[in-house]
Amino acid sequence: MSEIETLSAFVEDAPPGELADVVADIKALTLSTPNVVSDLAPAFEKYNEEQFVTVKLPGSSQSVLISPHNSLGDGRYYDVESSSSFAVDHATQARRRKETMETFEVKRLTGRQKASAVQSHSIEGPQVELMHVSPAASLALRANAGHYGAYPIESDAKMAMIVVANRYSPNNFWNGRWRSLYTFDAASGSLEGTIKVDVHYYEDGNVRLLTKKPISTSVSSGTGAAIVKEISAMERKYQDEVNKSFVKLSEGTFRGLRRHLPVTRQKVEWDKVTSYRLGQDIGGGSSKR
């Protein structure tokens, strides 16, 4: 594996909200090749598309998604709701000076970075009406997930729907992202997709949760509102399953791994363990001589 391939793997595996840290580490490890970050532009593009990163349109508070399904090529993407296309310079965003997680990385990945070169862009086809979901359904998706997008695929025969939610808490040493990708077939009414959860906790160590849940169901009514209702129900169910797993893990496995305190209810000072008298100092009683 070449150097670029190795570094690209680091970029593509960056935890949510921590791409700037990964880039900073890459720069520190490759001081002899200062332009190596420029060569990682394809990796930054792949990361942003697969992670469903959001950006802001110039002069607007509206967030728009970046994904393979709304890519026009050459770093341009389109948005159905605003009927516009825009450009994203993936390499420039990644090369920006790292400030703090609060002022830079969170800002960039929550959509406060702006796109550029906005142009009018409209699409036509039988799925267009479905992609403009009802106001109630749109509000539900925004409230529950943060951002969503719907795009035609396979010559308008099917529709891709994306849902993404980001939660960053660097001051508490954790970041997380929920990603969902669904494919709706209007002819059969089938709805298939995958839910992915990625959470990283890194206080005095590293713990990372990566889950992948396949989804397969059908929608009786092929309206935008009906599709959103089905997606919301499935995602609530999966969130409940994840929460129950955490409770079981905390009360079962983690508790079993935790070292119990001795009868004195005090932690053992392991650097002094050789000086303990087993019966008296640890057991709390008097030792026999």
Side-chain angles (χ1 to χ4, degrees):
M1 182 178 290
S2 68
E3 179 185 44
I4 293 299
E5 290 174 332
T6 300
L7 297 178
S8 295
F10 290 154
V11 169
E12 294 165 15
D13 195 45
E18 297 171 46
L19 180 58
D21 291 305
V22 173
V23 173
D25 290 340
I26 288 174
K27 289 180 178 180
L29 293 170
T30 57
L31 294 176
S32 59
T33 51
N35 296 323
V36 70
V37 174
S38 299
D39 297 330
L40 295 174
F44 295 133
E45 179 177 357
K46 183 177 180 181
Y47 178 87
N48 287 340
E49 289 188 355
E50 290 187 348
Q51 296 295 319
F52 306 147
V53 169
T54 59
V55 296
K56 295 287 188 182
L57 293 177
S60 171
S61 61
Q62 182 179 348
S63 295
V64 290
L65 280 167
I66 296 173
S67 82
H69 295 286
N70 63 325
S71 174
L72 296 172
D74 297 325
R76 291 195 65 84
Y77 303 85
Y78 72 90
D79 176 60
V80 175
E81 278 197 89
S82 62
S83 297
S84 63
S85 68
F86 54 92
V88 176
D89 190 334
H90 301 280
T92 297
Q93 289 191 25
R95 285 199 303 266
R96 287 192 55 177
R97 178 177 61 88
K98 182 179 183 294
E99 296 166 342
T100 66
M101 285 293 291
E102 291 290 352
T103 61
F104 170 60
E105 185 66 4
V106 173
K107 181 188 297 183
R108 186 177 73 80
L109 290 182
T110 52
R112 296 180 187 172
Q113 281 296 104
K114 293 182 179 179
S116 62
V118 178
Q119 300 175 2
S120 176
H121 182 86
S122 60
I123 57 175
E124 299 179 356
Q127 298 296 83
V128 172
E129 291 186 4
L130 286 180
M131 289 182 285
H132 292 282
V133 298
S134 70
S138 173
L139 180 62
L141 275 176
R142 291 185 187 279
N144 294 334
H147 304 284
Y148 76 94
Y151 315 100
I153 56 177
E154 296 184 11
S155 302
D156 297 331
K158 297 181 180 180
M159 179 176 65
M161 296 191 68
I162 293 172
V163 180
V164 60
N166 303 299
R167 293 292 182 269
Y168 305 120
S169 187
N171 290 335
N172 295 311
F173 306 100
W174 66 265
N175 299 295
R177 177 173 293 134
W178 175 294
R179 289 176 290 155
S180 305
L181 172 61
Y182 303 95
T183 300
F184 175 70
D185 188 331
S188 64
S190 65
L191 181 65
E192 297 184 352
T194 304
I195 301 173
K196 296 180 180 180
V197 179
D198 186 349
V199 180
H200 184 215
Y201 179 75
Y202 51 96
E203 183 177 16
D204 296 328
N206 279 285
V207 178
R208 191 171 181 182
L209 169 72
L210 291 167
T211 72
K212 184 176 180 180
K213 173 74 172 182
I215 297 294
S216 181
T217 186
S218 60
V219 181
S220 56
S221 173
T223 64
I227 296 170
V228 170
K229 181 179 180 180
E230 187 67 31
I231 288 175
S232 298
M234 290 187 297
E235 297 206 340
R236 281 195 300 270
K237 180 180 178 181
Y238 184 56
Q239 186 172 0
D240 289 341
E241 292 175 0
V242 173
N243 289 339
K244 290 178 181 178
S245 296
F246 267 112
V247 171
K248 183 178 180 181
L249 190 66
S250 177
E251 295 181 351
T253 307
F254 281 169
R255 182 170 293 180
L257 291 172
R258 191 178 301 126
R259 185 177 64 245
H260 295 286
L261 291 173
V263 294
T264 59
R265 311 306 297 171
Q266 296 178 349
K267 293 182 179 179
V268 175
E269 296 183 60
W270 294 102
D271 57 334
K272 300 179 182 179
V273 71
T274 57
S275 65
Y276 282 123
R277 288 173 296 174
L278 184 60
Q280 184 174 345
D281 293 340
I282 297 181
S286 58
S287 59
K288 296 182 180 180
R289 299 181 183 277

